[in-house]
Amino acid sequence: PRSRGAGSTPPPASDRTHRSSPAGAMAGGGKRDAKGKGAAAMAGLLLENGVLRVGTRAILEGVSPRFELETVRDDRVRSDCTGELVRDLDPTHVGVLSLGENANGLSGAHRADPISRHVVQIASRLPTTSRFVANARCKLWWMTPTWGGSECGSIPPETQFLLLEIGGGEDRGGGATGRAEASVATEKKTSGRRKKEKKEKPGTAYVAFLPLISPDGFRATLSGHKMDAKTAREQSGEGGDGRPLCVVAESGDAATTCSKADSILCVAVASSPFEAAEAVVAAASRRTQTFGLRVDKVVPPTAEVFGWCTWDAFYHSVTPAGVEAGVASLASGGTPARFVIVDDGWQSVTPDAAYRKKVDHISDHPPGSPFRSADAAPALARSASLPATPSKSDLPFQTTETERSFVLPTLDAFRELSGGRSSPGAPENASPAPSSRSSPARDDVFDAYGQTPGKKMTQRLARVTRSAANPLRRENFSRAKSRLKQSVSHLASTEVHRGNDRIENAMATALVAAQVAAKQAHIPVPSEPAKAWWPMRAAALVATGMASGLESAYWHGVHSSPYLGLSWRWFKFLGQGVLSPAIRAAVSTLSCFNHRVSLIEANVKFANSETRGTHAVTKKRKRRKPGSDGFADVVARIKSLGVEHVYCWHALFGYWGGLHPDADEMKRFKPVMTTPRHTPGLLAVEPSQAWDPITLGGVGVAERAEDLGSFYRELHAYLAKAGVDGVKVDGQAVVGGLGHGRGGGPALAKKLHTMLEASVKLHFPTNGLINCMCHSSENILNFRESSLARVSDDFYPTNRASHTVHVANVAYNSVFMGEIVVPDWDMFQSHCGEAGALHAAARAVGGCPVYVSDAPGKHDFTLLRKLVFPSGRVLRGSLPGRPTRDCVFKDPCSDKTTALKIWNKNARNDCGVVGAFNVQGASWSRAKGIFVERFDDAAEFVVAEVSPSDVETLRSSKYSCDALEEEAPSSASTSFPPLFAVHAHRSGETRALGVKDVWRVKLRPKQWEIYAVARVRKAREETNLETLKNLQWAFIGLTGMLNGGGAVLSDSHRVEREANALSSSSAARGKRAANARRVCVVAAATVYGCGSLAAFATARPRSVLVDGEPVAFGFDRDATGATGEVCGGRVLVPLGPREDTHEVRMRFEE
């Protein structure tokens, strides 16, 4: 076995095998496919003469001699992806690569020097690779997928998971676009159905690479960047050119060095891309012992119910009154939120003394805001005495007595506060926020209340004209004038978040304020000369133009400056030098990203009147007992509205700026101001981090990691005492830049996550932790017990280009992260038109928690009721939603032909769901570092080919053609009978398809469709009657729910034989008629929910019973097969309005 250096932690004994032995690599082998396809036909992994191969097939060429390979066993018992025993699958080959200290160069063999950053070539060529997909960081906080062919240089820096397809692969025919053949250009959906044209070369295999963190704290990533290629040649002393693939292993601390690193890259080869990903993550978990697998973790109950988050509804301006309004608003439409995330805005934070403001939306609203807690209290007090006038039958959802007593009065109170607007008290920053046409996202221009400027201007001018003729309404003019005077204070409460970087968000916020000022300045006041308003209007318009020009110049000339380029060096000098005070002042004024925690307790907005004066940082006061500030009352009021779980937000280091070193309450944690020092790889990904406000302002980090652990315990104890059930921990990825002087980012992250999870386990026993902004492997590979994590960048309501990209990102990132955590696909807003529906459909198939961030009064309840039951329960898929196998290596955002398909399974093993989406037209630009939209390149439509085999659990050998032919009756006209019933949610169409049949559908941009797939049952083995011999049926799912198949929990059937009752006419037939017996088949299913249940049957049922009672049902004989022939019909069974677990029985008779 390979020798290891002193101080290295050896792998578990059960994980060791001999080095580079083909025989050893087959230790995990099982039954092979008789046809010898896929990985089964290959021998084990072998590294020899600079070539990493599996069997006789080379995977990597030009591997540095510093790498050493150990083959390890695939110790999985059952595949989580397919549900089958691993021994019954094609063998999966797993190995671990380590970085040795022996190197060769132009000067001959030598020992590598101990350094803090190793860059070593692992491949000069990918000889058998046809396509790849890489999950690489796209900014400090997040990662996104990148697709390519066989070029090493196309693999981006900071790649944290790499999947290769070797030896061909699977593709389907078709793929027509809106500018393609006319045969599909004239109808919305093609009626023709055909067999799946599968172009699969023999021996197709998939290779997954997972860079690890060594026991010595060196974090590995993959990179094909030219900067790393140059560094690799310099460190090895070898010449050459080109763009090889390199492994970068770094500690993040100049004082933490090594000459070799153990276990820095894990590799797995399998016949399925999902099996390869599952095997490589499982092997890495066993090897490192630092993170757990999703299948072994406790999933919080919040994953099974509908939720609401305050972020996009209020941003930092959240208040208790706003939270209660949001909860009550959702409940009024029959979609009650059962868990709530109080996001950023509740903590007691303050900026540095030089940037402190008199009015700060993190601590209180500007004067006159309807959501100020002090103003809301009287109205709430009055509402408490108001009777709930509607009766129970008048409410559109099922409620408890407590809910009915709070929901309607609360809504009335907030309508009173907001002046009767349809959006109760919607703040200036409620979505959709204003945006600039010059923005990279090309947003539509809206005003602060969601109306177009032209329409609102017309309404205002009409009001002015009417008021001029009525002296009694002169007070309206003074109100209009006061709006203009309050523009400065409104600037403090207006926020725009477009998802690019913090400087751009601040610039966009300033631009929005200028736009609002320009519109308000145009309102004339009769008491003043009209021409006196024109200078103000002109000044506002000039400010708008300047802000728009600066924003555009920033994007095209500053933000996209390449790392280490001349322009980047110049902007770094300016940003960290002469412009640093201006940037910090602007960001501190327009946002809270340079604020720091000053108190453990909630801020003044969430405090009661008795404790409002005790939140000043500089004011000395006696320490109160935790929970005595009134925050517990806020949580109690939220839960009284029917909320079962309340989570609160905080950052990994407390807040964006960490802990405040000047705050008396924070000094016991010994915070020290630390400037982030990001790695070259991260700066190559996001060069603007060199002048990011957090970089310029620094982060208050506890001197010892154990002190930050004490902060976690105190904060969580305070929240738990107030009734909070969990936390969302944000801002995690910055840990990589804060490890200098502390052993490096990976070492610091390991300590922090250990203490964080220990505190969560102590105070929130349901594993109430959501990890967010965590897409650096320092964090991901330390999720030992936490089971929820965000898997993509935010949903940005005002950034239109991000809406489709988000759906693709969450699906592709789930291939990797879904093995470690239950993927959180983020909140969305139901009222965002096409984008809202697109994201709702994605959440339905994502296997993720479902929660929105709608502003109070702004909801699409018709859409939400397709996701949420009246009880607040949702139908979540059993697995992480991932792209189907034929989509994994295609770019569904910008290749103009591919429809994104996402698959999942539900409670029944032989049933699943497939979502088809057109997300073409926008993408994340790695060159510019922004979301870009390409209207001219977007096709009019794409064609998705949906098949039962898209559900990976249905690709088992028991559904193969050979198995089906054995089941087929001799009288069948086709080679085998239809095996699956497939139901389209939007069209309501039902098809009976074989496992390899396809359903072709055209999708326009942002259009989608969801298909429920259910295995067809048969009873012909149990009866010889011809009428029942070929009977087939399937329980599909609820027609009113997006993932309606998830409502069918189980199904079964039985054959009954009953004696026929003798009638007067049959009595004469004598003894023979009396002994006749009637045969029937009873198909039964257990279904949860309400509404209408869809089923497939080849014959009309004689009767249908729901909970033992006969019901009137519908039967439409319009279900067709793959070639268009009618082969059955759809049965519609009414379950009624009561949400419950129902027993449904369909009775078929001869």
Side-chain angles (χ1 to χ4, degrees):
R2 177 175 61 79
S3 61
R4 296 177 176 84
S8 297
T9 303
S14 62
D15 214 25
R16 303 182 199 171
T17 67
H18 291 289
R19 176 188 175 190
S20 289
S21 167
M26 293 299 294
K31 297 181 181 179
R32 293 189 179 183
D33 186 348
K35 299 180 181 180
K37 291 185 178 181
M42 305 174 188
L45 287 166
L46 180 67
L47 176 59
E48 189 176 47
N49 298 325
V51 179
L52 176 67
R53 64 179 73 250
V54 55
T56 59
R57 182 176 299 175
I59 302 173
L60 307 176
E61 289 184 356
V63 181
S64 169
R66 290 189 62 185
F67 286 104
E68 300 174 356
L69 172 69
E70 288 183 80
T71 56
V72 298
R73 291 191 298 270
D74 181 10
D75 288 340
R76 296 175 301 147
V77 176
R78 184 179 295 274
S79 167
D80 180 59
C81 177
T82 64
E84 295 186 87
L85 294 174
V86 172
R87 67 168 182 262
D88 296 332
L89 302 174
D90 289 338
T92 299
H93 312 294
V94 185
V96 177
L97 288 162
S98 298
L99 190 63
E101 58 185 351
N102 296 322
N104 294 324
L106 297 177
S107 58
H110 64 279
R111 296 174 68 88
D113 296 328
I115 53 178
S116 62
R117 187 173 191 264
H118 297 266
V119 184
V120 185
Q121 175 178 308
I122 194 172
S124 60
R125 200 166 68 92
L126 307 175
T128 58
T129 296
S130 57
R131 298 179 292 184
F132 76 79
V133 58
N135 297 93
R137 289 167 82 177
C138 59
K139 57 175 72 172
L140 170 64
W141 313 105
W142 305 109
M143 65 181 176
T144 190
T146 296
W147 300 266
S150 59
E151 305 83 9
C152 292
S154 300
I155 298 174
E158 286 290 309
T159 291
Q160 301 181 128
F161 180 78
L162 177 64
L163 191 60
L164 308 179
E165 180 188 71
I166 61 176
E170 179 180 302
D171 200 353
R172 292 194 188 152
T177 67
R179 301 184 178 97
E181 61 266 4
S183 62
V184 293
T186 58
E187 54 185 353
K188 181 177 179 181
K189 293 186 178 180
T190 56
S191 59
R193 304 292 182 261
R194 58 187 178 81
K195 291 294 176 72
K196 177 172 58 176
E197 296 177 2
K198 190 161 95 172
K199 303 173 183 177
E200 185 172 358
K201 296 181 180 179
T204 300
Y206 303 90
V207 186
F209 291 93
L210 178 59
L212 306 176
I213 299 175
S214 74
D216 297 327
F218 278 72
R219 169 180 172 263
T221 57
L222 296 171
S223 173
H225 196 274
K226 60 182 179 180
M227 168 194 68
D228 293 318
K230 179 181 178 181
T231 304
R233 288 192 290 267
E234 292 174 350
Q235 292 185 6
S236 66
E238 298 178 355
D241 52 11
R243 296 269 294 274
L245 178 62
C246 300
V247 170
V248 181
E250 53 197 336
S251 67
D253 181 16
T256 304
T257 63
C258 74
S259 58
K260 60 181 181 180
D262 186 57
S263 304
I264 61 170
L265 185 64
C266 194
V267 57
V269 184
S271 57
S272 160
F274 307 108
E275 289 296 330
E278 182 180 325
V280 76
V281 174
S285 175
R286 292 192 306 272
R287 184 78 170 192
T288 63
Q289 300 290 307
T290 60
F291 69 94
L293 301 177
R294 170 183 50 81
V295 294
D296 300 326
K297 296 178 179 179
V298 176
V299 180
T302 55
E304 310 300 335
V305 294
F306 180 57
W308 178 68
C309 180
T310 64
W311 179 241
D312 286 320
F314 300 108
Y315 296 125
H316 292 104
S317 301
V318 60
T319 64
V323 177
E324 294 174 45
V327 174
S329 182
L330 284 169
S332 69
T335 57
R338 296 309 185 196
F339 85 92
V340 167
I341 301 175
V342 181
D343 213 289
D344 189 1
W346 71 270
Q347 289 177 281
S348 294
V349 298
T350 186
D352 296 336
Y355 308 107
R356 206 159 290 160
K357 297 171 285 187
K358 293 183 179 180
V359 178
D360 192 339
H361 54 269
I362 198 68
S363 58
D364 202 1
H365 274 278
S369 171
F371 274 100
R372 294 180 66 205
S373 299
D375 297 335
L380 285 176
R382 291 193 302 271
S383 71
S385 62
L386 295 176
T389 52
S391 64
K392 180 178 179 180
S393 60
D394 295 330
L395 293 174
F397 59 98
Q398 300 175 15
T399 60
T400 64
E401 189 65 34
T402 302
E403 290 171 338
R404 291 195 300 275
S405 65
F406 276 86
V407 169
L408 294 173
T410 302
L411 284 175
D412 291 341
F414 280 91
R415 290 192 182 100
E416 177 182 350
L417 287 172
S418 60
R421 292 198 302 268
S422 60
S423 175
E428 291 288 336
N429 58 329
S431 63
S435 58
S436 167
R437 179 65 67 176
S438 63
S439 158
R442 300 185 183 180
D443 294 315
D444 293 328
V445 180
F446 289 94
D447 69 3
Y449 297 98
Q451 295 176 304
T452 60
K455 181 178 179 180
K456 193 167 184 77
M457 188 66 68
T458 301
Q459 293 174 348
R460 285 183 174 177
L461 291 177
R463 288 198 298 268
V464 167
T465 303
R466 290 194 301 268
S467 299
N470 188 355
L472 298 179
R473 301 180 61 186
R474 288 290 178 86
E475 65 273 10
N476 292 335
F477 298 110
S478 61
R479 291 179 183 177
K481 185 176 179 180
S482 67
R483 290 197 192 101
L484 181 61
K485 293 180 179 180
Q486 292 176 357
S487 60
V488 175
S489 61
H490 283 169
L491 181 63
S493 66
T494 299
E495 293 182 70
V496 179
H497 295 265
R498 289 186 183 141
N500 298 311
D501 73 6
R502 305 189 190 288
I503 292 180
E504 192 273 343
N505 288 336
M507 296 174 68
T509 299
L511 175 60
V512 168
Q515 290 174 331
V516 173
K519 285 179 270 187
Q520 291 178 342
H522 187 61
I523 303 175
V525 176
S527 61
E528 299 181 13
K531 62 181 181 180
W533 286 80
W534 285 103
M536 300 178 65
R537 183 189 179 199
L541 292 175
V542 169
T544 301
M546 291 179 62
S548 178
L550 286 173
E551 186 184 18
S552 179
Y554 177 79
W555 282 115
H556 298 288
V558 180
H559 181 79
S560 59
S561 300
Y563 175 55
L564 295 180
L566 182 61
S567 60
W568 178 85
R569 296 178 189 273
W570 172 246
F571 292 131
K572 177 186 177 184
F573 168 76
L574 292 177
Q576 297 184 358
V578 295
L579 296 180
S580 177
I583 294 175
R584 293 186 62 191
V587 172
S588 296
T589 300
L590 299 173
S591 72
C592 302
F593 294 114
N594 272 152
H595 289 44
R596 316 186 199 284
V597 178
S598 57
L599 292 174
I600 290 289
E601 292 88 346
N603 61 39
V604 65
K605 295 182 297 182
F606 290 83
N608 56 38
S609 58
E610 297 178 358
T611 58
R612 277 181 175 270
T614 64
H615 282 70
V617 176
T618 59
K619 187 174 182 178
K620 292 186 177 181
R621 62 186 180 86
K622 293 182 180 180
R623 293 185 60 188
R624 299 188 307 272
K625 292 182 180 180
S628 63
D629 61 341
F631 190 57
D633 296 334
V634 173
V635 176
R637 289 202 305 270
I638 295 173
K639 290 190 173 182
S640 69
L641 296 174
V643 175
E644 299 170 354
H645 314 279
V646 175
Y647 280 28
C648 283
W649 179 100
H650 71 81
L652 185 66
F653 291 95
Y655 201 68
W656 302 108
L659 309 182
H660 207 299
D662 298 331
D664 293 337
E665 291 297 321
M666 293 294 107
K667 288 183 178 179
R668 63 183 180 275
F669 304 118
K670 302 175 183 179
V672 177
M673 292 306 301
T674 305
T675 300
R677 299 178 187 173
H678 298 296
T679 63
L682 190 276
L683 290 174
V685 169
E686 191 177 11
S688 62
Q689 279 298 321
W691 52 83
D692 185 84
I694 293 180
T695 302
L696 301 181
V699 180
V701 182
E703 189 174 1
R704 299 183 312 119
E706 292 74 14
D707 292 327
L708 197 54
S710 299
F711 171 78
Y712 294 151
R713 290 190 293 274
E714 285 197 32
L715 176 63
H716 295 168
Y718 164 76
L719 294 174
K721 186 175 179 62
V724 174
D725 305 285
V727 288
K728 173 183 175 182
V729 181
D730 219 333
Q732 297 187 12
V734 75
V735 67
L738 297 173
H740 52 89
R742 298 178 173 86
L748 178 61
K750 183 177 181 180
K751 294 178 182 178
L752 295 185
H753 280 282
T754 299
M755 292 182 292
L756 175 65
E757 290 188 346
S759 179
V760 168
K761 186 175 183 179
L762 176 64
H763 298 99
F764 311 119
T766 59
N767 203 13
L769 172 59
I770 302 174
N771 297 282
C772 189
M773 301 183 82
C774 55
H775 286 191
S776 61
S777 54
E778 297 106 329
N779 299 292
I780 299 172
L781 300 183
N782 280 300
F783 293 159
R784 187 185 299 272
E785 295 184 7
S786 57
S787 62
L788 279 175
R790 285 272 306 280
V791 293
S792 81
D793 202 346
D794 291 5
F795 172 83
Y796 299 104
T798 63
N799 192 333
R800 185 170 58 190
S802 71
H803 294 160
T804 53
V805 181
H806 183 282
V807 175
N809 286 352
V810 290
Y812 284 87
N813 286 342
S814 294
V815 174
F816 159 42
M817 292 189 64
E819 300 298 335
I820 301 174
V821 293
V822 173
D824 182 339
W825 287 20
D826 197 20
M827 67 198 90
F828 69 100
Q829 290 190 326
S830 66
H831 58 80
C832 284
E834 287 183 320
L838 179 77
H839 280 260
R843 302 310 186 276
V845 299
C848 56
V850 179
Y851 58 110
V852 296
S853 191
D854 293 351
K858 294 184 177 181
H859 315 286
D860 184 345
F861 285 119
T862 301
L863 178 64
L864 291 179
R865 292 187 192 107
K866 297 181 179 181
L867 282 171
V868 189
F869 286 119
S871 67
R873 179 174 172 177
V874 298
L875 297 175
R876 186 173 68 90
S878 302
L879 297 174
R882 287 162 283 187
T884 59
R885 187 181 296 201
D886 60 328
C887 291
V888 169
F889 298 97
K890 293 181 178 180
D891 181 357
C893 296
S894 56
D895 69 2
K896 306 178 187 179
T897 60
T898 301
L900 172 63
K901 293 184 296 178
I902 301 174
W903 70 274
N904 211 323
K905 69 179 288 291
N906 287 310
R908 294 180 294 170
N909 290 330
D910 50 2
C911 301
V913 59
V914 178
F917 307 85
N918 184 349
V919 294
Q920 296 282 342
S923 63
W924 175 264
S925 171
R926 288 191 174 271
K928 294 184 177 182
I930 58 175
F931 297 101
V932 295
E933 203 168 14
R934 301 181 178 91
F935 292 104
D936 296 337
D937 294 341
E940 294 177 7
F941 61 81
V942 296
V943 176
E945 296 188 341
V946 179
S947 170
S949 63
D950 286 332
V951 181
E952 201 70 17
T953 55
L954 304 182
R955 300 177 69 99
S956 170
S957 58
K958 63 184 178 181
Y959 303 123
S960 66
C961 293
D962 295 338
L964 295 177
E965 288 172 358
E966 292 177 2
E967 294 183 9
S970 57
S971 60
S973 59
T974 57
S975 60
F976 55 88
L979 186 65
F980 295 95
V982 183
H983 177 78
H985 170 80
R986 301 188 77 177
S987 68
E989 194 175 357
T990 302
R991 300 290 171 185
L993 303 178
V995 69
K996 293 191 176 184
D997 292 335
V998 297
W999 184 335
R1000 304 180 75 239
V1001 58
K1002 296 191 300 184
L1003 300 171
R1004 297 189 304 274
K1006 293 187 179 180
Q1007 195 176 14
W1008 54 271
E1009 181 62 280
I1010 293 180
Y1011 298 87
V1013 183
R1015 173 73 190 272
V1016 171
R1017 312 298 184 187
K1018 311 177 185 66
R1020 51 181 167 74
E1021 297 88 351
E1022 304 169 28
T1023 176
N1024 293 323
L1025 293 178
E1026 190 64 29
T1027 55
L1028 298 179
K1029 186 175 182 180
N1030 294 324
L1031 175 66
Q1032 301 177 46
W1033 72 91
F1035 291 97
I1036 300 174
L1038 298 180
T1039 59
M1041 305 297 287
L1042 293 176
N1043 182 22
V1048 183
L1049 307 180
S1050 63
D1051 68 315
S1052 61
H1053 73 277
R1054 68 176 184 270
V1055 176
E1056 296 180 351
R1057 291 174 172 83
E1058 301 175 341
N1060 282 321
L1062 292 178
S1063 62
S1064 58
S1065 60
S1066 62
R1069 299 178 183 178
K1071 185 176 181 180
R1072 181 178 178 183
N1075 291 334
R1077 300 181 66 84
R1078 182 174 56 190
V1079 178
C1080 64
V1081 175
V1082 178
T1086 301
V1087 183
Y1088 180 85
C1090 53
S1092 180
L1093 171 70
F1096 164 81
T1098 55
R1100 180 184 177 89
R1102 180 61 60 90
S1103 63
V1104 176
L1105 281 73
V1106 176
D1107 297 328
E1109 298 293 331
V1111 296
F1113 63 93
F1115 181 75
D1116 301 322
R1117 181 171 284 277
D1118 58 358
T1120 60
T1123 58
E1125 77 283 5
V1126 176
C1127 58
R1130 182 181 62 169
V1131 184
L1132 290 178
V1133 181
L1135 301 181
R1138 180 173 60 90
E1139 179 188 344
D1140 204 347
T1141 301
H1142 302 279
E1143 297 296 329
V1144 179
R1145 298 179 184 276
M1146 295 191 301
R1147 186 182 185 89
F1148 300 91
E1149 296 181 359
E1150 56 178 313

